[in-house]
Amino acid sequence: MSSPRALRVAVVTVSDGVVAGEREDASGGIIADWVRERGYDLAGRVEVPDETGPISDAMMRLSDSGDCDLLLTTGGTGLTPRDVTPEATCAVLERAAPGIAEAIRADGLAKTPRAALGRGVAGVRGSTLIVNLPGSPKGVSDGLRVLSVVVEHAVDRVLSLIHIS
C-alpha cells in the first residue's frame, strides 16, 4: 500500500521592497517554515513586484505546471493603489472559494479591527488551491493557523474533482 503524497506548496511573495533587495522576505520565510514543519514539499518560492501582470504570470506558471497543489501568496492585499494581489488572483481563478478568505479575515478580526481592511481572496485554478495571505508576518502566521485546519481536506477535494490518481 502506498503512502499518500505530501502536499506540494508554492509561495509567491508580492513586494516591491523584497524584489528590490531593500527588505527581507520575512512573510515568505514564515510560510516556507510552515510548509517544512507540516511535512509538505516546497514546490517553489517566487518574489514579484506589486504589479498585476507579474503576479498573475507567477500564479499561472506555478499552478499550471502541475507541480503545486497549494499556492500561497503573501502581500499586496491592502487598500493602497499598489495592493493588486486580489485583482491578479481573481484574473487567474477558475472557481472562487470565498469561505477560506472569510475565515482568515474573521480570525483576524477577533484580534484587530484592522483585519477588515484585508482584501485577500481564495479559489481554484486547475488542480491548485490559491490563497492570498496578508503581507505582515503576524497576519501570515494567523492565516496559516486558520489554513492548517482546512487545507488538506480542501486540496483533497480539488484533486478528487479532477480525478488525480
Side-chain angles (χ1 to χ4, degrees):
M1 183 148 97
S2 65
S3 61
R5 176 177 53 83
L7 197 67
R8 302 166 302 164
V9 184
V11 181
V12 176
T13 298
V14 180
S15 170
D16 291 332
V18 169
V19 170
E22 300 166 353
R23 187 170 45 242
E24 177 189 352
D25 182 11
S27 295
I30 290 169
I31 298 171
D33 289 345
W34 177 83
V35 168
R36 285 187 285 274
E37 289 165 7
R38 293 183 63 87
Y40 301 154
D41 293 331
L42 188 60
R45 191 166 166 190
V46 179
E47 299 164 351
V48 296
D50 289 279
E51 297 171 10
T52 305
I55 299 166
S56 293
D57 290 347
M59 287 191 287
M60 286 187 294
R61 186 177 67 255
L62 289 163
S63 60
D64 294 352
S65 72
D67 296 331
C68 140
D69 306 309
L70 173 65
L71 191 157
L72 299 174
T73 71
T74 176
T77 61
L79 295 175
T80 74
R82 300 273 306 154
D83 290 329
V84 295
T85 302
E87 289 77 15
T89 304
C90 287
V92 304
L93 292 179
E94 295 166 351
R95 291 184 314 283
I100 295 171
E102 291 165 7
I104 292 170
R105 259 188 296 282
D107 181 76
L109 281 168
K111 298 170 185 66
T112 175
R114 291 184 181 167
L117 304 178
R119 300 182 314 111
V121 298
V124 176
R125 177 180 177 88
S127 62
T128 303
L129 176 64
I130 301 173
V131 180
N132 298 155
L133 295 172
S136 73
K138 176 74 170 121
V140 165
S141 294
D142 290 346
L144 291 173
R145 188 173 38 72
V146 172
L147 282 178
S148 293
V149 178
V150 299
V151 72
E152 290 179 17
H153 181 70
V155 169
D156 182 56
R157 299 290 30 148
V158 170
L159 293 176
S160 71
L161 290 174
I162 60 163
H163 308 293
I164 295 286
S165 56

